[in-house]
Amino acid sequence: MQLNRIFISVSLGLLAVSHSVLSQEISSDDSVETIEVMGTYFNDYQVENASGAMRSNVSLLETPQAVTVIPETIIDEQLATTLGEVLNNDASLSPGSKQRNREVFSSRGFELSSSTGYLRDGHQHWSHYQQPIETLSRVEVIKGPSSILYGQSAPGGLINMVTKQPTVAPLLEISADTDQNGSTRFMLDAGGKLFEATAYRAVLVKQDVDFQREYQNGGTRERDRFLGSLVIEHNITDNLVANVYYDRTNDKAGLDTGAWLNEDADVISNENVINDFSWSFTDIAVENIGAKLSYFFNPDWEMKLGYNEQSFTRQRFESSPGLPSDYQSGDSYTSNPYDRSDDWQFKTVYFDLNGTFTLAGVEHNLLIGANGLDYYYGQLIERGDSIVFTPGEIEPAKPDLDFHRDTSLSVTEYDYYGLYFQDLITLDEQWQVAVGGRYDKQNREGADNESLLPKVGVLYHPAENSTVYLNYSEGFEPQSSETIEDELDRNFGMEIDATTSKQVELGAKWQFSEHLLVNGAIFNIEKTGTLISEQLLNDPVFETVTTQSGKQVHKGVEFSAQGAVTDKLFLMASFMYLSAEFEEDENYQGNTPVDAPKWSASIWSRYEVTEALALNAGVFYQGERYADNNNTVLKDAYTRVDVGATYRTHIWDKTVDFRLNVENVFDADYLAGGGINNVTIGNGATARLEAKVSF
């Protein structure tokens, strides 16, 4: 297609330019001394530790669980603008629905909750929106239950987003990128010293997105996003460091709740046309403000105290189209519009005391801590009359709806706290044991819960650069109440229990050639009490039906490799085999959960042709996935191939990087995450070009 020809032309142009520049440098003066460069060998694909996995400075070789760290280098190379684009690099994560300008993911087949599945710098983080990844230095994927350190969390794992921190050295980067749809993003990243003992980091982003799918009236779906972030760090004394930060995100976008599928997994709505009306939108404002104090008693002991206050407000003006049960392409369907306001307030705090000591000849790395959450949610909503619409007709006018007219504020409040400890015990050069536990208490009207959770891991190091480990961990997730609260759910008032989980994992890690980390893991996770919500079709009273499963069992094998293969070739690769099943369930026994592929894989690589030119290639594979828990609709497997190239030069003594990426270079048609009535249509071939200047 035309886009492929454009990419080939530009790539050849970059190669020609680099070859020309090199030729001129070599031939312009034969008397100039030639210096042979044997590659940069800057191993920026591999990270040695993950701060979120053990909440302390412990290497990955001493961490008794599977962890993947996606560094900033890969985020930048892929020109990623959403967290989903970053998480594609780990095969254990599968994408779900992208409806309503947010992203949903599953880890090892278990969906990550917006309230309990994500962390930011170790704080529980409300993530009911697309995360501002321009502020991140890396993303840590922590596999398996992690409740002993963080409290309520899904059995599949946690996503810890680690933010960029102040720099002592001066930093100023300005970049701009665009794609063939007309989308643009402008970014400033600055840092350095403010005063002798004070440093800062600031990030500004302005992004406008034009999406490929259009509305019924031919209008373009657009997104307008602004991000501002500031972090200041001050050394109060040699032992006491204060860190304060503030960031704000404004994100407004037209709505696209996804396409509709029939029993053959064929798109029965027009795959290029959005079923929502062009006047539907979501408008989000998110603020984070917080502080962290770090006190170093001595080189062996450290105390941290952190506080974060997150404010998340959203207006959602919906047309809310519903899929009829016997829908055929071109048939009429009904929309049920409403105007809704959501107000979430997340206040989190933690205290950690971490240190190392020797007792009776045995080394200990001890963590003692506590964390807590204060949660508030308020909702206002005004609903309008139903609209019957036939594709091809003139789009209905925007109804007169205003959530401010709702006088019955719906409020949900609760708080919880937990006390935890963890001890990594080094018995000798070959054997280590990690033990831990947590007491967790939730205070909520009608839904008080408490739990006591253990965790144990055994590590064996057959050599200095390798580890074999076995761990056992548990998870606990109190439900929102003792009964289903949604009045529009058919099972409104049904009693529900807390969700519990446990995992056994056997794994191995090998630091190959000091520059490439290879991981493998076999896991078995059991979860009881999962809430399963299904959309109802043609029901005049209820929108959903929610049930609680008996037991889910997810078994799998993972493998990953990350780092430098040679001094010019860098690699991040992973694959997963997953057997996910409702083992004991009244409605779905023997079935596979939605968007839990049996096979998945990802590869991203960089090859440094010269010091000025680097090439990238990536392959992302998702196996067959069910679009419903009844397992009547099976989405095909797909493979997406991405390519890219970076050329570095100097203009007016400033370093300038030009980057070209093409996502889905072979223009493959595929269905990404989502179910029968909200599946995401994969984007066709998309080219993006960036220019970045470093001062």
Side-chain angles (χ1 to χ4, degrees), residues 17-18 77 166 271 363 373 404 406 428 467 472 496 605 618 623 670:
V17 169
S18 64
E77 286 180 353
E271 67 177 29
E363 296 181 8
L373 165 71
H404 293 95
D406 181 11
D428 54 36
T467 301
Y472 172 81
I496 54 178
S605 62
Y670 67 94

Side-chain angles (χ1 to χ4, degrees), residues 41-52:
Y41 215 86
F42 179 49
N43 191 9
D44 50 4
Y45 268 37
Q46 184 184 328
V47 180
E48 295 183 353
N49 57 59
S51 59

